Amino acid sequence: MYYHSKLMRLYIQPPSSTPHLLLEALSGRGVHPPALCNFNDVGISAMHRVASAGNTSNSVRARKEKRLTYVVNDADDTKHCAGVNCLALLKSSSPGGCEYLFTGSRDGTLKRWALAEDGATCCATFESHVDWVNDAVLTGNNTLVSCSSDTTVKVWNGLSEGSCIRTLRQHSDYATCLASAGKNSNVVASAGLGGEVYIWDLEGALAPTTKSSDATEEDCSNGVSGSGSSLPITSIRPNSSSNNISLHTQSQGYIPVSAKGHKESVYALAMNDSGSLLVSGGTEKVVRVWDPRTGSKNMKLKGHTDNIRALLLDSTGRFCLSGSSDSMIRLWDLGQQRCVHSYAVHTDSVWALASTPTFSHVYSGGRDLSMYLTDLATRESVLLCTKDHPILQLALHGDSMWVATTDSSVHKWPAEAHNPQKVFERGGSFLAGNLSFSRARVSLEGSTPVPVYKEPSFSIYGTPGIVQHEILNNRRHVLTKDTAGTVKLWEITRGAVIQNYGEVSFDKKKEELFEMVSIPAWFTVDTRLGSLAVHLDTPQCFSAEMYSADLNIPGKPEDDKVNLARETLKGLLVHWLIKRRQKFGSQSSINGEVPSGKDVSTRILTASRVELDGNADNDSAVFPPFEFSVASPPSILTEVSQSGPWRKKIIDLDGTEDEKDMPWWVIDCVMNNRLPPRENSKCSFYLHPCEGSTVQILTQGKLNAPRILRIHKVINYVIEKMVLDKPLDSVNSDVTFAPGMHGATGGDGSFRTGPKPWQKLKPSIEILCNTQVLSPDTSLATQVTGLEVIRFGVA
């Protein structure tokens, strides 16, 4: 880097004796010359599986600490913002009673809709899963059961405001599907990508029992937890005299019946009304039939040539319908153990099936965006409707059909379930073929049927989900694009949209917003849930700092450094901290310990692992750039809880959550102002005149300055030491930029008006790096990310 006036030319160069160490300090990695070090390329590894466990052994290796994630959304919270994977209907038992539709979405939430003739109203959001909700079923007593890609099965009071009764943890991978017995309301089956099929007795799983005193936290890692309590293991044993399931209690937690046989992923389940028969299918291309009371295999049915994605049993358990990625629907007679009919209706994968009450006709939908009605006896089929998105699930409601798709909206279509012949009388029907290629050939020949219905009779609209994002260089803003093409700019430290650009080019807007700044990558983002999910991992998240002047924080000294992650955590947990102090008073933080933790005090008091944030205020005050909206609050996602991963809005935290529910480093940071050890945040260099200059050398010593130091502060330092003829004998051989020297003035030019102090100084000084003049508003960190990261000069 160089600076110059008409009279002088000087340069700054790094200490030649420590180039390797300096490179390593700048990058935080073991990079050695001549490798390049660019902070914009130093990021956090790709998102790990949500339910991954830390190293809980006695290994001397450092354990990977749990991450904290928060999800922000500026849209209406009563609407889904991602595809709807599942539907469940709660019908009224009395005439005129209210009926409810439950929807489970890829945004990680379930919603309950009160249905009326002219509309639907969202009356509750069920929020606890931390990944896609893949399926949901209703059992007796208004109990809602859901499964998710976070590997858990959750039990809810379906008529509550969204309270989760219990979390069932047994799956090793994504839980993909559920099935329930209509007449045996206690039995629910679940399956997933791990190939496991479990049959749960909800009465036993939800029984309020206590855990033995000598059990450890790990004992319930594959059991059942909820509301801070754990259960003893309970296995289900068959009762030979009935279809009911009896319980056998062990001492460590609850264990469901396991139906063992699948070697690959399971995508579909179905159970008959009495709960005496269970069918499953997946990537093995076969339909397996089980006795759910014992978990024993009854039979295996072969015929499909691709993944089985949907299954349906009649009430008696005699007939089974299957839909597959081979585009075929097959009807199986389980008594004869064979396929009695196959229906080539769709031109692509079949993902959803529903039948009329008499099991005489089947409704089917899938990847080809279409829903068909097929007579199982005559093979006559008709295209009911086709839209813009693949169909994921169907739910029959009277003479209408609710259709869930990869879009965030749910549509209701006429179905005539009680008199399907009415639909066929409208014409346009065709005879379903026996082979999949026959239907595809008809489509290629241009004989595509015309849909009976053009538009749905009613729709529950969702909001557009985010499908593209870019973290900007300032590491506070994220640019997004949603399914409607709308481009928005988010400030993630507040969880708010600060600019809506409308439908513009995402790439052009990204170029317009580019800033020549370099701030460490202190967070990562993904949009898997249709909204922005911001991930914080320690210690990386504490690597970014800014001066308060650059953040426009009123009433705070301009030279104070602000740790972005710490202030963001304060903003997220301010409601939790207030409620905690109301509950526990001063006892909530004694000697830096969280009183309810069994070992958190040991961790947070280990001097080698943590350090006090000397610049942090010792109260819960939240600065404006870190204030999150109460009207549209973000949700916190974490995997720490003994009950499994959970999700909750920040305003719903009640203050009782502790290190068993949230990462200990988060609590320690918010309550005790302690931060983990971080990378070296300073640069070291020598300051010399440029080659050929007659100006006296400033100092032979090494200079140290914060990486976030603005270049105009270097100008001020040069002017004070040279231009203003300050005595050089006061300069030590090893100099550090004092707070008064690097923080008396400054700020980002885009946020502050009027001439800068460095603009008033005479003579005019310019700073250069590799002969390139640098803007006074840039930081040292911006320059050390260049090609020659350890060579500075001033001219």
Side-chain angles (χ1 to χ4, degrees), residues 196-271:
E196 308 105 334
V197 177
Y198 295 115
I199 301 96
W200 305 84
D201 183 337
L202 295 185
E203 183 178 355
L206 303 181
T209 56
T210 58
K211 188 179 178 182
S212 59
S213 60
D214 60 346
T216 63
E217 178 178 331
E218 287 75 18
D219 289 335
C220 62
S221 62
N222 286 324
V224 181
S225 302
S227 304
S229 63
S230 301
L231 293 175
I233 293 178
T234 307
S235 63
I236 303 176
R237 290 184 173 176
N239 186 329
S240 58
S241 61
S242 70
N243 286 332
N244 295 327
I245 295 176
S246 61
L247 302 178
H248 174 66
T249 301
Q250 300 178 16
S251 60
Q252 298 298 321
Y254 177 87
I255 295 181
V257 167
S258 178
K260 297 180 180 179
H262 280 285
K263 298 179 179 63
E264 298 177 14
S265 300
V266 180
Y267 283 115
L269 288 174
M271 193 180 294

Side-chain angles (χ1 to χ4, degrees), residues 73 120 138 152 296 339 393 426 734:
N73 197 336
L138 284 162
T152 68
S296 59
C339 177
Q393 199 165 69
R426 301 183 63 166
D734 193 4

Side-chain angles (χ1 to χ4, degrees), residues 360-535:
S360 61
H361 294 71
V362 62
Y363 300 87
S364 58
R367 193 174 178 180
D368 59 4
L369 322 181
S370 303
M371 180 172 68
Y372 289 90
L373 172 63
T374 304
D375 189 319
L376 296 177
T378 66
R379 309 179 61 83
E380 188 178 11
S381 186
V382 64
L383 175 62
L384 289 178
C385 63
T386 184
K387 266 298 186 180
D388 303 323
H389 304 279
I391 294 173
L392 297 176
Q393 199 165 69
L394 304 172
L396 190 64
H397 184 201
D399 279 327
S400 299
M401 183 70 73
W402 289 101
V403 178
T405 70
T406 55
D407 184 44
S408 58
S409 301
V410 178
H411 303 286
K412 184 180 180 182
W413 294 85
E416 300 293 348
H418 291 91
N419 190 3
Q421 195 60 33
K422 285 185 178 180
V423 180
F424 291 103
E425 290 174 354
R426 301 183 63 166
S429 64
F430 61 94
L431 195 63
N434 288 310
L435 301 173
S436 59
F437 69 82
S438 63
R439 180 68 186 91
R441 183 179 59 201
V442 171
S443 177
L444 291 174
E445 291 172 353
S447 303
T448 303
V450 177
V452 175
Y453 304 107
K454 303 296 184 182
E455 296 295 332
S457 56
F458 178 73
S459 296
I460 300 175
Y461 290 104
T463 59
I466 298 174
V467 293
Q468 189 175 3
H469 73 278
E470 181 75 21
I471 301 174
L472 302 188
N473 281 15
N474 62 20
R475 301 295 175 183
R476 292 173 58 213
H477 295 159
V478 176
L479 191 69
T480 65
K481 181 179 180 179
D482 61 29
T483 53
T486 303
V487 177
K488 297 179 181 179
L489 184 65
W490 295 74
E491 186 169 15
I492 61 98
T493 57
R494 292 194 298 122
V497 172
I498 57 177
Q499 188 70 48
N500 186 337
Y501 299 107
E503 296 183 30
V504 300
S505 169
F506 182 84
D507 292 332
K508 288 184 179 179
K509 184 56 64 175
K510 181 175 65 175
E511 293 176 4
E512 291 176 14
L513 296 173
F514 176 80
E515 296 179 70
M516 190 61 182
V517 296
S518 178
I519 295 176
W522 62 280
F523 67 92
T524 56
V525 167
D526 74 65
T527 56
R528 175 177 170 83
L529 301 179
S531 51
L532 279 181
V534 183
H535 307 293

Side-chain angles (χ1 to χ4, degrees), residues 13-20 686 790-791:
Q13 78 177 32
S16 59
S17 59
T18 58
H20 289 232
Y686 291 110
I790 63 170
R791 295 196 174 277

Side-chain angles (χ1 to χ4, degrees), residues 510-655:
K510 181 175 65 175
E511 293 176 4
E512 291 176 14
L513 296 173
F514 176 80
E515 296 179 70
M516 190 61 182
V517 296
S518 178
I519 295 176
W522 62 280
F523 67 92
T524 56
V525 167
D526 74 65
T527 56
R528 175 177 170 83
L529 301 179
S531 51
L532 279 181
V534 183
H535 307 293
L536 302 179
D537 292 277
T538 187
Q540 299 97 316
C541 66
F542 295 108
S543 62
E545 293 180 327
M546 293 181 67
Y547 287 119
S548 59
D550 297 332
L551 292 168
N552 283 338
I553 299 178
K556 190 173 177 64
E558 292 184 341
D559 288 345
D560 280 5
K561 288 186 288 185
V562 177
N563 190 286
L564 298 183
R566 180 189 180 278
E567 299 305 321
T568 300
L569 289 172
K570 281 176 57 179
L572 286 169
L573 296 179
V574 62
H575 304 282
W576 169 84
L577 187 59
I578 292 173
K579 293 176 182 177
R580 185 168 184 83
R581 288 176 174 172
Q582 290 173 347
K583 288 178 180 291
F584 301 105
S586 59
Q587 306 249 339
S588 63
S589 180
I590 300 177
N591 297 326
E593 298 182 26
V594 181
S596 60
K598 64 181 180 181
D599 63 348
V600 70
S601 60
T602 303
R603 291 184 298 205
I604 65 179
L605 292 178
T606 303
S608 63
R609 295 184 61 183
V610 295
E611 59 186 52
L612 284 174
D613 186 357
N615 294 320
D617 296 329
N618 292 320
D619 56 32
S620 57
V622 177
F623 301 127
F626 304 92
E627 291 179 342
F628 289 87
S629 169
V630 177
S632 183
S635 300
I636 285 181
L637 282 66
T638 183
E639 61 188 58
V640 175
S641 174
Q642 294 181 11
S643 304
W646 59 267
R647 167 175 172 168
K648 190 180 291 187
K649 291 197 179 299
I650 59 172
I651 59 174
D652 293 334
L653 298 172
D654 60 12

Side-chain angles (χ1 to χ4, degrees), residues 708-773:
I708 62 175
L709 187 74
R710 297 289 184 181
I711 297 300
H712 70 78
K713 299 305 177 81
V714 180
I715 295 176
N716 291 348
Y717 180 83
V718 171
I719 291 175
E720 180 173 341
K721 296 300 181 183
M722 291 197 61
V723 178
L724 301 183
D725 296 322
K726 292 284 182 176
L728 294 180
D729 56 354
S730 63
V731 180
N732 297 327
S733 62
D734 193 4
V735 183
T736 298
F737 276 76
M741 292 304 303
H742 64 65
T745 60
D748 192 318
S750 62
F751 294 103
R752 302 171 65 83
T753 59
K756 311 276 194 308
W758 52 265
Q759 292 174 319
K760 303 176 184 178
L761 297 174
K762 300 295 181 180
S764 177
I765 301 279
E766 285 184 339
I767 306 295
L768 294 85
C769 180
N770 296 328
T771 71
Q772 181 180 358
V773 178

